Amino acid sequence: ATSADWFISPVGFAVALGSPIFARTYIFPWVETAPSAIAESYLVQAQTTAGDAGMIGAIAIRYDTSGTAVARLYRGGPVIVGSGLTCTEGQNQCDVPLSLGVHHRIDLKVVVSATVGIVEMRVDGTARATYSGNTGTVLVYKWVFAGGTSAPNANVYVVHDDMMVTDTAYAPDGKT
């Protein structure tokens, strides 16, 4: 996938303010040629009707110049510890290393609320980063799945498999 390869869900989710909504995908990242500068792209993103400007929360894949990859939680931009973000391992940005050439389960939970909002990242079934605080009052309208990068001279790829959005709980394993 390149940064221009996106899957956008059907639009118009009927989830009330304060209720959770979940997205899950399995990804298979690999690097043929590492980028010459740090590059990243969203893997899964919850958006309002405003598109990119209305991002409620996202999980990005970030590649460094040695070709390693990490997953990172976003809430309208990168969030850091002390601004409502809790990391299971105490890292400042909650970066989670991703092994290349291996499938990883990526889950994003979003609760839209001006007071008790949540954006949570799970990698391979384990909660790794949670933002708690104001996530706004505009509901999730669509989900975007992507993952490549248009960084110069880079050949990095992400294959998505078995994408799912639910409004009751984290999506089950496997195809349903």
Side-chain angles (χ1 to χ4, degrees):
T2 68
S3 59
D5 295 331
W6 298 55
F7 170 78
I8 300 174
S9 71
V11 296
F13 292 94
V15 177
L17 283 175
S19 296
I21 189 165
F22 308 84
R24 190 238 23 241
T25 185
Y26 288 89
I27 63 162
F28 187 87
W30 80 94
V31 174
E32 288 181 4
T33 306
S36 56
I38 291 174
E40 64 182 19
S41 179
Y42 296 119
L43 293 170
V44 59
Q45 184 179 153
Q47 291 184 352
T48 68
T49 55
D52 285 339
M55 179 182 47
I56 299 168
I59 298 172
I61 188 167
R62 182 177 175 91
Y63 304 94
D64 69 14
T65 57
S66 66
T68 59
V70 297
R72 177 179 282 185
L73 182 69
Y74 279 74
R75 161 60 196 119
V79 288
I80 58 171
V81 173
S83 63
L85 182 67
T86 304
C87 305
T88 58
E89 302 180 15
Q91 315 95 305
N92 188 43
Q93 296 280 345
C94 297
D95 289 348
V96 178
L98 296 174
S99 298
L100 301 175
V102 175
H103 282 93
H104 294 280
R105 177 183 170 142
I106 303 293
D107 291 285
L108 179 64
K109 173 184 178 181
V110 173
V111 175
V112 176
S113 170
T115 56
V116 293
I118 295 172
V119 179
E120 181 179 79
M121 173 178 68
R122 288 187 177 197
V123 177
D124 297 326
T126 301
R128 301 298 294 267
T130 304
Y131 167 83
S132 300
N134 182 357
T135 55
T137 58
V138 180
L139 297 176
V140 174
Y141 183 69
K142 65 183 176 182
W143 293 88
V144 178
F145 296 87
T149 180
S150 57
N153 304 317
N155 290 315
V156 298
Y157 305 91
V158 171
V159 174
H160 285 267
D161 185 31
D162 198 25
M163 298 171 279
M164 183 181 285
V165 176
T166 68
D167 63 356
T168 55
Y170 283 99
D173 284 332
K175 297 176 182 174
T176 57

